[in-house]
Every structure is written in C-alpha cells, then in structure tokens.
Amino acid sequence: MKTSIIGYPRIGSLRELKFASEKYFKGEIEELQLLETAKELRFQNLKEQQESGLDFIPSNDFSFYDGMLDTAFLLNAVPKRYTSLGLSVLDEYFAAARGYQGEKGDVKALAMKKWFNTNYHYMVPEIDDDTEIKVSGNKPFELFVEALENGVRTKPVLTGPFTFLELARYTGTKTKEDFTEAAANAYIDIIKKLSELGAEWIQLDEPYLVKDLTESDITFFKDLYTKILSDKSGVEILLQTYFGDIRDFYNEVTALDFDGIGLDFIEGRKTLELVRTNGFPKDKILFAGVVNGKNIWKNNYTNTLHILDELKNQNIDFVVGTSCSLLHVPYTLKNETKLSDAYKKHFAYASEKLTELAEIKKLLTSENPAETTEYRANSELFAQPRSGENTSIKEKVNALSEKDFTRLPKFAVREKIQKERFNLPLFPTTTIGSFPQTIEIRKTRAGFRKGEVTADDYDSFLKGKIEGCIRLQEQIGIDVLVHGEFERNDMVEYFGECLDGYLFTEKAWVQSYGTRCVKPPVVWGDISRAKSMTVKWSSYAQSLTDKPVKGMLTGPVTILNWSFPREDISLKDSAYQIALAIREEVLDLEANGINIIQIDEAALREKLPLRKSDWNSEYLDWAIPAFRLVHSGVKPETQIHTHMCYSEFADIIGDIDNMDADVITFEASRSDLTILDVLKEKNFRTEVGPGVYDIHSPRIPAKEEIKAALQKMLDRIPAEKLWVNPDCGLKTRGSEETVPSLENLVAAAREIRSKYKA
Ligand code: GLN
Ligand code: ZN
C-alpha cells in the first residue's frame, strides 16, 4: 500500500517565497538570494513529506510564479516580445508574468486566467506560427537532481501537453493540432532525460480532461499520448486528472498505455460509478484521490474506507492520494496558534493531510481498521454535533419566495430615474474600490489588530486616509468616488469578521497568483450579520464631497466561493444565509445616504461547474438569485453596481444580465475585447465598464492607449451605457503608478467625451 500527493504548496508556510520575490522585484535583494530562499523552501517540503512517510514525493511542483508559465518556458513557447528584451532568464520569466517597463522596453504581461474552478490563476501561454515547441528549460531536471541529492527519488510533476495546448492562446493561423508532433516529441525528450537522471515515475497533469470535450479534443488527446507512450524510456507514466471525473471517455483513457491513472473521487462525482461499472485495467495502478485537496476539513475515514474497500474488492491495484494538488490549501495548523482546539480538531491543512494519508495507509494495512485508535478518534469527531447553529436564520432561508429575489421597477425604468438623479457626464469615470495600500496602512491595521493602536487612533487614521483618497479623486477629476477600502485586509475576510458563523485563521494563506496569496475564512456555522460593516466609512466619505461615493460590498457568491465552505449543508443554503446578511448592509447603506452601492462578485464565475450540463442545476440556479436577494430591496433611484475580475462570461451572458444590477465593471484589458461583440449581439441591458487598463501590472497606460481602448468599446457599446474604469481594485499598486494612470484615464474619457459630443 502506497501514498501519493499531486503537488504541495510552494509559497512557504510563512509566505517566505512571496516576500523574497517582492524584494527581488524592488531590487532589494539579488537573484542569488531569491534562488536560495526557493531552494530552502523546497528542502523543507521535501523533508516534511519524507518524514510523514509519503511514498510518491513530487518534484517540479515548485514554481516562482506559475506552473503553466514554467511549462511555456520549458517548451520554448515564450513570445518574442519577452525573449528580445535581453534580460536574464529569471527576469524574462518575470517579464512574461508581470509585464516589464524599464530601460530595455515596455511590454505587457501574458494574460492570466483562473485555473479551472479554483481561485488560483495561471498565465496563458501564447503560441504563434513561429513558435517551435522543443525542450528549452531545465527546471524539472534540476529539481529532480536536487531532491535526489537530498536522498529522495521524487516523482517529477509536469503540466501535460494536452492541457497546456488546450489552454494556450494561438495568435497566428496555426491551431493546437499543428503542434501535436512537436509537443509529443518534446515530452518524449523530457521523459528520456528524466529517465537518464533516475526517475521511475513521472506525473503528467491533465486536468483539462474533466471538462466537456469535443470529438476533436479526444482525438487530439489520443494522438498526443499514443505517440508519447510509444517511447517511455522505461519510466512509468502517471496520467493525473483532477477537479472532476472523466465520464465521457473513461474507457478510451484507461485503454491507453499509461502505467498509472489518477482519478478524483472528491469532485469527480461520477468517478466511483465509472470504476464500478467499467472496471479498471489490471496492468495499471489507480491513484485514488480520496483526500480533499481543496478544503480544510478533516477526512472522514469511514467514507474513505468505503471507497477504497470497493477498489479492493474489485482487485484494483491502487495508491491512496489527494484529489488535487495541495496548492489549494494552506500549509500547516502548527502556525494557527490562536484558533482553539475545539475548531482545529476538525481541520487538516496540507501538512495534516500528509498525516491523514499515512493514517489511511495504516488503516488499510491493519487487520481490523475499525479497531485502530486513528479510526476511532476520527469517527468520534464526525459523530459529534457542531456548534454554531442558528434556527432563526434557517427559518428565514426556508421562508424565501420569488418576490424576495425580484427588484422592482424594471431595469429600463430605473435606468431613466437614475440618469436624472445622478446627472453624470457621458462615459462616467470611476474605480473599482480599493486604493493603494501603503506599508503605513498595513502596519496601522496590523497594529490595531494586535491592540497596539487604540480604536480612536485607528479611527482617525482611517478617516485621514479616506479624506486623502476623496481629495485625490476630486483632484484627478473622477466622477463616482470610492472611500478607498483602507479598513480592509481582504475583500472576503473583512466581511466575514462582521458575520456570525465565520471563523478566521491566522496563517492559512493560499496562493492566488504569483506572489499574491489569500487567506480564506471558514464557514463554520449558520451566518448572520453581527454588526454594520461599512456604513461608517462610506458615509464618512460621502460627508466630505458633493460627488457620489459608491458603497463597497462583497457579494454572497464571492464570499462563499472565497471561503472554505461547510460540507454539512448545501452551498445554496450557505449562499442564501450570507445574502440575507449582506442585504441588511445594503439597506443600511441606503438609509445612511449612500446612493450607489457596488456589490462585488469577483468570484462568481470561478465555481461554475466545469461541465456545461451541470451549470444551471448545480450552480447558477442559486448563485444568481443569491445576488438578487442582496439588492432586491433598494429604492429605484439607488444604483447597484457589480464587479467581476474577468470578462469570460460570454457563455453565461444572460445570467449576468439576470443579476439585474444597474452597472457592471469587469476586467477586459488583459483578455481581448471579444466579449464586447457578445454584449452587443445579446443586447446586454446592464450598463458596462470594461476595464481600460490592467492593474495587475505596474506599467502606466498612456492616454492614447486608453482612448484607443475606449474607441473600440464605443464601436460595440451604446455611448450612454459605457463607464470608464480600471479593470480591478488598486490596492496592490503603488501611488506612483496609480495617480498618473488615473490621470490618463480621466484625460482619455474627457477627450472622447468632447469628441463624441462634437
Ligand atoms: N472592490 C474591490 C477592490 O477594489 C474589488 C476587488 C476584486 O475585484 N478582486 O479591491
Ligand atoms: Zn476585480
């Protein structure tokens, strides 16, 4: 009996890699120091995994920024605009990840997208007609050797060619199929080289397999792998899938010459049934993903044994593993010193999941698993009732009816009322909410949390910042202002802290993209609004200016999607509970003179099921109503905005319109503007602010660049529906780039305005 994991977090248990990278970006440390930090972190992971008794220890799951980007560099698929800068390899890599503006040139970053249904983001590889796919990097080889020198023969982990080529963006006339031969040869070379270095197993990650695939996708997959598997250099190849099941072509995949196949028994709702009805080939090993790689609750051994017993009974040769990479959970409970054991005993982070794997292995090899202390302790834990029940909330949710989800009067009527009320210029300018969070702000907030800064001092500090932010926006000439969100560490945690039923962790950081990490709170019990959340700050900001100030809230779907959700009640019930709490805040803001309220649903699309057939029944049928429940009670003259961090909603455009917001702002500068054609075609009703520049990069967009973007938008969007804004909040940016960027934005809007009038 053996155990395996798909990958491990890499940012460092105390985010060491993040801090080192950020210092490196600022020129505060040398490349060598960054490399040393990374090496030390890899060593710690290796040691921890080895000590836990894990059998298949991964390597190459480390990354300085993102695994897809690593694969692009490994496969020589790096656009010339980066390679021609003449930077060091590492800087070239960071230029592709973050954009580059300096002596050697001015280039934007590659596009960034959400990684399947997670809150992790990958860099989208760009392939043009000249791209020559071949092995050009060293990372998997170096990291394999490094681990071997530390005494561990690891299982190198690579993004598979199918997922890589499916997710890449093709800028020329060639398509993915044109790269079949070259990609297969590159992987054959990689396998060969790893074999020469001593690798025995190689894991190829192919999460794309759990999506809805077309016939041509399946053919493409088979073509790639028939070729690769014909030349394995004596290495065992593990095909690793995750985030779902491979229901459409289970038999075709298992018939290929893989030595191991990794299946997800947690999110793959059909996985067990597939194995049950079709069997599993005797000459292959099933890597059974039974420990949840995405959530922080302890594994329920009774359920797990139930699955594994079934595999055993079928005489399937299996390895026990996680459902996906542990990248999506925090490192270790050891750093959670403040959370009481009453809660912690229900949790398992990455490191504790290693222990769970070891325990499951022990159960499986013991004569009578039910008699072991590990099993007993586990079943006792799950038998106990959990604290935090609130029956009145449950009753409120049960009593909801259609009218609670319907805002009146209809959109067109409201739009007219609001145009008269606010009397904004054409192409109103605004921002998404947060302004740069300086070190001073972070320090003061942390000081307040620790009790080193008094409530009064903190209050006046924030008021000072809000005033500065209002004056700055007035000076720049923005039309709809924001208070700047200085009170918030994070757009979900902040709200969670104002809700009963939420739990907070101290160090449960999870990588979101590059050096950015999030610390999702935990939905523990039934949710209700414990106190007002934002009214004080928003109304203070509004008191300082005659211009409208937008109230700024996070929506229920995003709060839920960016939390670790309960597994004992449905997501729908949790979402409605949160929606009722945020609804109270919306009405409170309105009653306190806030006339425009933005309810961010940054993560709405994120949890859209990967298969279209599941979209409505499993998700949209409650997610869209949850949003409407939040704002359906406001007056017609109150303007509701929403914001999304992406523009990939062409296929759910009707659902987005059905959220029935008055205005939606979204990211559009990093992806191409194709969404605008769809908006036009579908007669999108909601007013729109497609982001005119990319805030994920430190570069400053020129006025002309913004004007050009606006011009393109105007070709497709009616002038009276177009807003002008950056594509997301500014909190991660510095003032140096934010102020000139916004000045250019306002100047561009003004010029287009006067041109348009003329
Ligand atoms: N209002 C939030 C902000 O500006 C939105 C952030 C987000 O969309 N991720 O920071
Ligand atoms: Zn955003």
Side-chain angles (χ1 to χ4, degrees):
M1 182 53 53
K2 286 191 173 150
T3 54
S4 175
I5 61 170
I6 295 171
Y8 209 65
R10 57 217 181 188
I11 202 84
S13 64
L14 297 168
R15 291 178 296 160
E16 294 88 341
L17 185 64
K18 167 199 173 69
F19 297 120
S21 305
E22 287 173 352
K23 278 193 187 142
Y24 177 72
F25 299 155
K26 288 192 206 130
E28 290 169 13
I29 61 169
E30 296 295 319
E31 177 168 326
L32 193 65
Q33 274 171 282
L34 177 58
L35 300 183
E36 281 301 315
T37 305
K39 192 169 178 175
E40 176 56 30
L41 291 172
R42 289 193 297 266
F43 180 68
Q44 283 170 16
N45 280 1
L46 193 70
K47 216 173 71 185
E48 190 177 359
Q49 292 167 25
Q50 198 183 16
E51 283 168 4
S52 78
L54 181 67
D55 298 298
F56 287 92
I57 295 180
S59 62
N60 197 43
D61 52 341
F62 172 83
S63 176
F64 276 108
Y65 206 91
D66 165 55
M68 279 289 280
L69 186 61
D70 295 350
T71 311
F73 273 77
L74 175 65
L75 297 178
N76 196 39
V78 183
K80 282 189 205 68
R81 62 178 183 277
Y82 305 116
T83 53
S84 64
L85 288 169
L87 300 168
S88 74
V89 179
L90 186 66
D91 286 348
E92 191 177 295
Y93 174 85
F94 284 134
R98 313 171 62 238
Y100 176 90
Q101 197 167 37
E103 289 154 16
K104 306 208 165 156
D106 181 358
V107 283
K108 292 190 198 173
L110 286 173
M112 184 167 77
K113 278 191 185 165
K114 291 200 179 274
W115 181 240
F116 298 86
N117 53 0
T118 72
N119 183 27
Y120 177 78
H121 302 68
Y122 70 97
M123 304 306 302
V124 184
E126 235 175 68
I127 295 182
D128 64 30
D129 288 351
D130 297 333
T131 304
E132 189 197 337
I133 292 196
K134 60 175 188 196
V135 184
S136 72
N138 274 324
K139 192 180 76 126
F141 315 118
E142 285 171 5
L143 298 193
F144 178 78
V145 171
E146 177 188 274
L148 200 57
E149 283 169 356
N150 283 310
V152 182
R153 189 179 304 272
T154 52
K155 165 194 68 174
V157 171
L158 298 151
T159 307
F162 176 65
T163 297
F164 180 80
L165 291 171
E166 287 282 358
L167 294 179
R169 195 156 127 189
Y170 297 85
T171 55
T173 55
K174 286 191 184 168
T175 61
K176 58 181 191 270
E177 284 88 357
D178 295 316
F179 296 91
T180 311
E181 180 86 13
N185 284 330
Y187 277 78
I188 288 172
D189 290 346
I190 294 167
I191 293 167
K192 179 155 183 278
K193 182 131 189 227
L194 285 168
S195 158
E196 285 163 7
L197 294 172
E200 289 168 359
W201 275 91
I202 296 175
Q203 170 185 318
L204 298 177
D205 283 3
E206 294 290 13
Y208 203 88
L209 285 177
V210 309
K211 306 224 331 167
D212 289 316
L213 301 183
T214 60
E215 273 309 311
S216 77
D217 290 325
I218 297 175
T219 310
F220 178 51
F221 177 82
K222 284 205 237 163
D223 287 349
L224 274 168
Y225 276 98
T226 308
K227 177 121 212 278
I228 294 170
L229 297 173
S230 68
D231 203 351
K232 294 195 278 189
S233 302
V235 183
E236 316 273 335
I237 303 292
L238 163 60
L239 170 76
Q240 185 63 58
T241 68
Y242 41 83
F243 302 145
D245 55 60
I246 53 169
R247 65 185 84 149
D248 297 335
F249 54 107
Y250 175 87
N251 285 320
E252 286 164 271
V253 170
T254 51
L256 289 166
D257 195 21
F258 293 108
D259 304 282
I261 296 179
L263 301 176
D264 178 348
F265 285 81
I266 303 283
E267 277 190 282
R269 287 177 304 107
K270 300 239 156 122
T271 301
L272 187 57
E273 191 185 315
L274 285 165
V275 175
R276 194 181 285 152
T277 42
N278 301 292
F280 189 82
K282 295 279 166 282
D283 60 336
K284 296 183 183 18
I285 299 177
L286 171 57
F287 284 65
V290 289
V291 170
N292 194 338
K294 275 191 180 168
N295 214 339
I296 44 105
W297 305 105
K298 265 209 175 128
N299 188 267
N300 183 325
Y301 291 167
T302 310
N303 295 346
T304 298
L305 287 188
H306 183 78
I307 299 170
L308 298 178
D309 279 343
E310 194 164 335
L311 302 183
K312 253 188 185 169
N313 292 340
Q314 283 197 46
N315 287 321
I316 294 170
D317 195 359
F318 66 88
V319 166
V320 183
T322 54
S323 62
C324 61
S325 166
L326 296 175
L327 177 68
H328 310 291
V329 289
Y331 265 83
T332 171
L333 278 171
K334 288 187 198 88
N335 294 333
E336 297 294 349
T337 52
K338 292 206 184 115
L339 206 60
S340 102
D341 279 337
Y343 300 121
K344 273 200 284 192
K345 65 180 183 197
H346 292 270
F347 293 175
Y349 296 175
S351 159
E352 292 75 29
K353 286 178 195 285
L354 294 176
T355 311
E356 292 189 332
L357 288 173
E359 291 188 359
I360 295 168
K361 176 167 157 179
K362 188 176 162 198
L363 299 184
L364 285 170
T365 43
S366 69
E367 284 279 302
N368 195 344
E371 296 300 312
T372 58
T373 43
E374 289 82 359
Y375 183 85
R376 284 222 191 110
N378 188 269
S379 29
E380 264 164 41
L381 183 75
F382 280 91
Q384 282 167 20
R386 262 220 251 141
S387 59
E389 218 195 346
N390 182 335
T391 35
S392 87
I393 299 297
K394 289 206 167 93
E395 279 160 16
K396 270 191 203 160
V397 168
N398 289 336
L400 290 171
S401 69
E402 196 47 43
K403 69 171 194 332
D404 298 303
F405 298 97
T406 314
R407 184 173 175 200
L408 291 172
K410 284 198 176 337
F411 179 87
V413 180
R414 280 163 11 219
E415 192 179 28
K416 206 161 153 266
I417 296 174
Q418 291 167 17
K419 288 255 186 259
E420 272 165 31
R421 173 184 200 175
F422 295 110
N423 195 23
L424 293 167
L426 208 51
F427 318 128
T429 53
T430 191
T431 62
I432 308 305
S434 58
F435 265 68
Q437 296 222 338
T438 55
I439 293 177
E440 183 204 15
I441 292 168
R442 288 176 205 277
K443 272 206 178 132
T444 313
R445 206 169 45 221
F448 172 61
R449 289 181 152 247
K450 288 189 207 134
E452 293 159 9
V453 175
T454 67
D456 280 351
D457 287 348
Y458 186 55
D459 219 78
S460 20
F461 172 79
L462 285 181
K463 286 188 169 157
K465 290 293 150 199
I466 291 173
E467 178 157 20
C469 185
I470 294 290
R471 298 297 166 243
L472 175 68
Q473 294 171 83
E474 285 180 334
Q475 209 178 342
I476 296 174
I478 294 175
D479 301 307
V480 173
L481 312 192
V482 294
H483 75 284
E485 300 182 21
F486 306 111
E487 75 285 3
R488 298 182 198 175
N489 36 353
D490 172 280
M491 67 185 288
V492 169
E493 187 174 54
Y494 180 80
F495 289 92
E497 283 176 353
C498 304
L499 296 171
D500 279 334
Y502 256 97
L503 273 191
F504 297 89
T505 61
E506 238 178 300
K507 294 279 164 22
W509 295 100
V510 179
Q511 191 176 19
S512 170
Y513 68 88
T515 59
R516 238 353 256 119
C517 298
V518 292
K519 189 153 61 74
V522 181
V523 188
W524 171 265
D526 292 320
I527 301 293
S528 59
R529 188 176 86 141
K531 54 181 181 195
S532 116
M533 305 163 169
T534 60
V535 175
K536 179 169 152 187
W537 308 123
S538 292
S539 47
Y540 176 70
Q542 185 63 83
S543 76
L544 299 171
T545 178
D546 293 334
K547 292 202 170 174
V549 174
K550 269 198 283 194
M552 205 53 66
L553 303 173
T554 304
V557 184
T558 298
I559 293 185
L560 183 63
N561 284 353
W562 283 350
S563 302
F564 290 113
R566 284 167 75 168
E567 289 177 346
D568 61 333
I569 68 169
S570 70
L571 291 173
K572 170 180 170 177
D573 281 346
S574 274
Y576 286 2
Q577 289 185 359
I578 300 169
L580 285 172
I582 302 295
R583 179 186 172 98
E584 277 179 37
E585 183 71 11
V586 166
L587 296 175
D588 207 354
L589 280 170
E590 186 184 52
N592 281 283
I594 302 301
N595 304 320
I596 303 185
I597 301 169
Q598 178 171 313
I599 304 157
D600 291 328
E601 281 294 13
L604 187 119
R605 197 185 193 288
E606 191 167 287
K607 293 281 155 73
L608 196 64
L610 295 171
R611 288 177 189 276
K612 220 170 187 156
S613 53
D614 300 336
W615 281 5
N616 286 304
S617 57
E618 292 203 1
Y619 187 68
L620 292 171
D621 286 352
W622 56 261
I624 304 298
F627 183 85
R628 288 203 308 261
L629 180 56
V630 171
H631 71 87
S632 64
V634 301
K635 297 182 194 132
E637 61 269 30
T638 297
Q639 190 170 68
I640 297 294
H641 289 218
T642 187
H643 164 71
M644 287 179 194
C645 292
Y646 46 82
S647 53
E648 282 184 299
F649 42 67
D651 35 17
I652 52 166
I653 201 100
D655 301 280
I656 302 288
D657 238 2
N658 277 336
M659 292 166 75
D660 206 18
D662 299 304
V663 181
I664 176 170
T665 57
F666 53 87
E667 173 278 339
S669 63
R670 273 198 156 199
S671 29
D672 46 31
L673 294 170
T674 45
I675 184 68
L676 303 181
D677 295 319
V678 184
L679 295 178
K680 182 175 180 186
E681 191 186 308
K682 297 277 149 120
N683 243 320
F684 197 64
R685 178 188 64 190
T686 316
E687 295 186 9
V688 290
V692 294
Y693 78 88
D694 173 19
I695 63 89
H696 302 90
S697 152
R699 67 182 285 285
I700 298 165
K703 180 183 75 186
E704 291 306 319
E705 191 179 321
I706 299 176
K707 273 171 70 182
L710 285 172
Q711 207 57 64
K712 274 194 203 154
M713 292 173 190
L714 272 171
D715 292 341
R716 294 143 172 116
I717 293 167
E720 63 285 358
K721 281 198 190 284
L722 183 63
W723 288 66
V724 182
N725 43 263
D727 67 4
C728 197
L730 302 163
K731 67 170 170 245
T732 55
R733 295 270 63 91
S735 295
E736 324 77 74
E737 65 252 24
T738 296
V739 175
S741 298
L742 291 178
E743 282 169 352
N744 291 350
L745 178 148
V746 168
R750 284 187 178 148
E751 285 182 23
I752 296 272
R753 217 175 266 162
S754 56
K755 190 172 144 201
Y756 200 84
K757 278 193 191 128

